[in-house]
Amino acid sequence: MGVASVWKFFLLCLLLVSILHPSRCSVSYDRKAVTINGQRRILISGSIHYPRSTPEMWPGLIQMAKNGGLDAIDTYVFWDLHEPSPGTYNFEGRANLVGFLKLIHQAGLYVNLRIGPYVCAEWKYGGFPVWLKYVPGISFRTNNEPFKMAMQRFTQKIVQVLKNEGLFQSQGGPIILSQIENEYGLVTNNFGAAGHAYMTWAAKMALDLNTGVPWLMCKENDAPDPVINTCNGFYCDYFTPNKPYKPTIWTEAWTGWFEAFGDPIHHRPVEDLAFAVARFIQKGGSFVNYYMYHGGTNFGRTAGGPFVTTSYDYDAPIDEYGLLRQPKYDHLTELNKAIKLCEPALVSADPTIIALGNYEQAHVYHSTSGHCAAFLSNIHMDMAATVKFNNMYYHLPPWSISILPDCKNVAFNTAKVQGRTSRAQMAPTNVQMLSWETFNEDISENDADAKFTVFGLLDQLNVTRDTSDYLWYMTSIDVSTVESFLHGGQRPALTVESAGHVLHVFVNGQLSGSAFGTHRNRKFTFYGGLNLHAGINSIALLSVAVGLPNDGPRFETQGTGVLGPVILHGLNSGPRDLSRQKWSYKVGLKGEAMDLAHVTGVPLVDSANTSLMANRQQPLTWYKAYFNAPQVNEPLALDLGSMGKGQAWINGQSIGRYWTTPAIGQCSACSYAGTFRAEKCLSGCGNPTQRWYHVPRSWLKPTGNLLLIFEEMGGDASRISLVRRSVTLV
């Protein structure tokens, strides 16, 4: 047998041994780093949330993460996705957490699993299922027994599912770290002693699960031993853990920011992101996670906020569609490589800090084994500098760090971006939308379909239980023939105080006007004139949710919908408060009750269909068409720039909410230098915050794909098109 054959046989034996006797690994930590099998590691991670992409996309995303120099993938676990009703669990499709983690393991990467189960994440209700709000006596995220029982039951369920599959590193799996709770330090003062007791309980509950890997608590300075407290933010070089024997971990290095309908698009220059990461590492950080590495899509009604867009692109290195964003991806890849070259020195020594000028420093790591690494920094925002270090001269651009893995040669500078920039374009596919049909919601039938009638106004979520974004509030007023406005006087007006998020007002079946809040101020007031006649007049208020709140103390108590007062002005007798009179309620839309998203081959109406032109700008209209999949390989999207606001489905799968409201903000040129904030680098002012909506290729059939659109405000469906996302390098 030749040498090559012997070597192949040896490798085959090793493979068989690893399959038949998987290794059990140990994970611990000391003050310098997380240790795996006793070896300190500098670990670089990236967030990819499994439900924000499709299982068909997962292998490619994971491979791009590995190619980008990552050691680990970070993800939250989404309670509402996995337990949609009490005791009923879902781990299929985009909820296949085990499948996602196994793909990561197969790629040779580790996992930081952030179980929460509160996750924030701009996900509706912070990941909590809405049914949790209605558990008797419950209060979220405090020392409340009903909440703790539910949280413990779900956490135990997730951990047991993962243990059964051998997915913790102590079992030979990829999970090296787990997180309990999430950013609790932001709200703990609102709960006082009960908050501290809850946080302490949560830590102990997690530790008692015996996963064999360390637990984290991010943004929680009081995290009890042995739980590691960690940092989230645009910068974390200032951060130190609460005990000197814990490693310095950055669980969320924000690569960009999320979008909200009506706001501009956020960008974080890669030079500043690289500067922040290098600065964290030079000061002793040993674990950094890019949040997000791939942001993905808020399919269905999963977006939180409220007002968070369907796109969760986050200006991440891998864009929403799974394409590389350049030069961000390549620049961070080179940064990651340079940091890993420094690992032997970083994990073995503490830095010596040398002043090189007023704004310049060197952080130098010398290990006893002879390894040396240096970070040369210039924090001046405008001026470059030439510094002398180890009898050599180095040029440092403004707001930058040079990394010298051998204390001599520069492997990377955070401000020197190489390579080209990717430019994404939405190109036509020439796919024809065929056999358009329309269906209008009949407002006149609402009274007959009303679910119940009570005196007064009710919270929207308490009525819908999140089964729909839509709730009808319906009442009527009797107008006397002697009212002055019927005889040439000024017509009456209506004011409606809403707790959010969007309101459409109909009087006698006709749209009188709409109003909406914003991400920063969800509450708003509708004011508009009414066309009333003598006798009985119907008033129907369609309240629309645009995501549920996902953060803040006691967010489960926040009101939604028309909470009043509702005042009619302009009557002879003066203002009339309608808030306390009888109101009828109807959850959802007729089209939802008919399950139009899943009905194929059946016309929307029995009679001849109304033409698209006749329905242009008509509110509360359903549009249905069929199309064939395009013969292209690029990712696909729906161009909904001609529409107003609503929801869209492809073959029964919800691609999410759409809204073409224009972005309002301060858009201007952006410099990478200087402290970054979310409002610093904005674009897209005056254009819709989101015009294109991701259509996963795996959702399409070769022919006969069903497109369903529900339009609330009015749009031109004839101009809807399927486009392909094409990227060129310039």
Side-chain angles (χ1 to χ4, degrees), residues 76 119 123 192 259 265 279 311 339 380 386 416 522 526 591:
Y76 283 122
V119 300
W123 190 272
E259 319 302 350
I265 305 301
R279 198 171 183 182
S311 171
I339 290 172
H380 199 288
T386 299
K416 295 180 179 179
R522 65 199 64 171
F526 168 86

Side-chain angles (χ1 to χ4, degrees), residues 227-532:
V227 175
I228 307 167
N229 65 306
T230 70
C231 183
N232 294 351
F234 290 117
Y235 305 94
C236 279
D237 54 278
Y238 64 88
F239 172 77
T240 55
N242 61 13
K243 295 293 174 60
Y245 42 80
K246 295 179 181 179
T248 304
I249 293 178
W250 191 357
T251 35
E252 291 186 16
W254 298 333
T255 59
W257 201 242
F258 64 90
E259 319 302 350
F261 289 117
D263 287 354
I265 305 301
H266 300 84
H267 304 278
R268 187 176 189 187
V270 69
E271 299 95 328
D272 177 71
L273 176 58
F275 175 78
V277 171
R279 198 171 183 182
F280 176 75
I281 296 294
Q282 78 172 2
K283 292 192 174 183
S286 59
F287 182 108
V288 58
N289 175 67
Y290 296 111
Y291 186 102
M292 300 290 296
Y293 202 73
H294 165 73
T297 307
N298 291 316
F299 296 113
R301 297 186 300 114
T302 58
F307 295 96
V308 170
T309 58
T310 296
S311 171
Y312 198 67
D313 182 85
Y314 221 88
D315 199 35
I318 305 173
D319 75 9
E320 176 184 4
Y321 297 84
L323 302 176
L324 299 182
R325 173 172 278 114
Q326 300 290 15
K328 184 169 271 189
Y329 176 87
D330 280 352
H331 195 56
L332 294 180
T333 299
E334 294 306 310
L335 168 66
N336 300 338
K337 290 179 181 177
I339 290 172
K340 299 300 284 188
L341 290 173
C342 300
E343 184 177 39
L346 292 172
V347 299
S348 304
D350 294 322
T352 299
I353 302 174
I354 303 170
L356 303 176
N358 292 332
Y359 297 91
E360 301 82 34
Q361 285 184 332
H363 287 69
V364 186
Y365 289 80
H366 283 286
S367 71
T368 55
S369 59
H371 294 100
C372 183
F375 295 74
L376 310 184
S377 63
N378 174 16
I379 63 171
H380 199 288
M381 294 188 296
D382 302 310
M383 296 181 61
T386 299
V387 299
K388 185 178 181 180
F389 172 72
N390 281 354
N391 294 318
M392 296 179 66
Y393 289 93
Y394 299 89
H395 177 77
L396 300 176
W399 199 255
S400 76
I401 295 175
S402 286
I403 300 177
L404 288 62
D406 59 359
C407 286
K408 295 179 182 179
N409 299 294
V410 176
F412 182 84
N413 178 272
T414 59
K416 295 180 179 179
V417 179
Q418 307 294 324
R420 295 182 289 177
T421 299
S422 56
R423 178 172 295 170
Q425 296 177 320
M426 293 304 193
T429 61
N430 298 318
V431 166
Q432 298 296 313
M433 297 294 173
L434 307 173
S435 306
W436 278 106
E437 300 175 29
T438 64
F439 169 77
N440 295 320
E441 291 281 324
D442 190 348
I443 301 171
S444 64
E445 297 179 357
N446 280 344
D447 284 338
D449 297 336
K451 185 177 181 181
F452 60 88
T453 300
V454 298
F455 287 96
L457 299 167
L458 302 177
D459 179 86
Q460 179 170 343
L461 186 59
N462 288 343
V463 179
T464 66
R465 302 291 178 101
D466 196 42
T467 57
S468 172
D469 278 353
Y470 302 97
L471 178 64
W472 288 98
Y473 295 74
M474 297 169 290
T475 192
S476 62
I477 57 172
D478 190 357
V479 173
S480 170
T481 57
V482 301
E483 291 291 345
S484 60
F485 72 85
L486 296 174
H487 305 282
Q490 185 176 358
R491 68 172 181 161
L494 188 72
T495 59
V496 181
E497 299 288 340
S498 174
H501 309 131
V502 174
L503 184 69
H504 306 301
V505 177
F506 295 84
V507 177
N508 297 323
Q510 300 299 312
L511 179 63
S512 290
S514 302
F516 51 86
T518 66
H519 176 67
R520 294 174 185 82
N521 188 9
R522 65 199 64 171
K523 296 183 179 180
F524 62 92
T525 301
F526 168 86
Y527 179 84
L530 304 184
N531 292 320
L532 302 178

Side-chain angles (χ1 to χ4, degrees), residues 94 276 392 404 525 546 561 627 716:
R94 290 185 294 113
M392 296 179 66
L404 288 62
T525 301
V546 190
F627 65 95
D716 184 357

Side-chain angles (χ1 to χ4, degrees), residues 22-54:
S23 60
R24 293 177 177 268
C25 304
S26 64
V27 185
S28 187
Y29 65 82
D30 59 22
R31 69 180 185 89
K32 292 295 295 180
V34 171
T35 61
I36 301 176
N37 290 334
Q39 181 180 359
R40 290 173 175 168
R41 296 292 306 276
I42 300 295
L43 295 169
I44 301 171
S45 172
S47 290
I48 301 175
H49 296 162
Y50 52 99
R52 283 177 159 144
S53 55
T54 63

Side-chain angles (χ1 to χ4, degrees), residues 13-157:
C13 290
L14 282 180
L15 178 62
L16 290 173
V17 169
S18 67
I19 294 173
L20 297 175
H21 303 284
S23 60
R24 293 177 177 268
C25 304
S26 64
V27 185
S28 187
Y29 65 82
D30 59 22
R31 69 180 185 89
K32 292 295 295 180
V34 171
T35 61
I36 301 176
N37 290 334
Q39 181 180 359
R40 290 173 175 168
R41 296 292 306 276
I42 300 295
L43 295 169
I44 301 171
S45 172
S47 290
I48 301 175
H49 296 162
Y50 52 99
R52 283 177 159 144
S53 55
T54 63
E56 292 76 12
M57 294 173 66
W58 292 346
L61 295 174
I62 293 166
Q63 187 61 48
M64 282 185 275
K66 183 175 183 178
N67 294 346
L70 300 193
D71 303 293
I73 301 294
D74 167 290
T75 185
Y76 283 122
V77 176
F78 298 85
W79 188 353
D80 66 318
L81 187 70
H82 293 299
E83 193 178 5
S85 60
T88 301
Y89 295 97
N90 171 33
F91 292 97
E92 303 297 324
R94 290 185 294 113
N96 187 359
L97 172 62
V98 167
F100 180 68
L101 298 182
K102 286 184 175 181
L103 287 173
I104 296 172
H105 195 200
Q106 290 170 15
L109 300 178
Y110 298 122
V111 172
N112 175 27
L113 192 71
R114 306 172 74 185
I115 297 176
Y118 168 73
V119 300
C120 185
E122 292 72 57
W123 190 272
K124 71 172 182 178
Y125 240 39
F128 288 157
V130 171
W131 59 258
L132 190 67
K133 172 182 170 70
Y134 301 100
V135 172
I138 202 163
S139 182
F140 290 0
R141 302 179 73 199
T142 187
N143 195 31
N144 172 269
E145 289 305 317
F147 177 76
K148 292 193 297 183
M149 287 177 60
M151 174 178 168
Q152 182 170 6
R153 184 177 64 251
F154 177 74
T155 306
Q156 288 174 333
K157 172 69 176 182

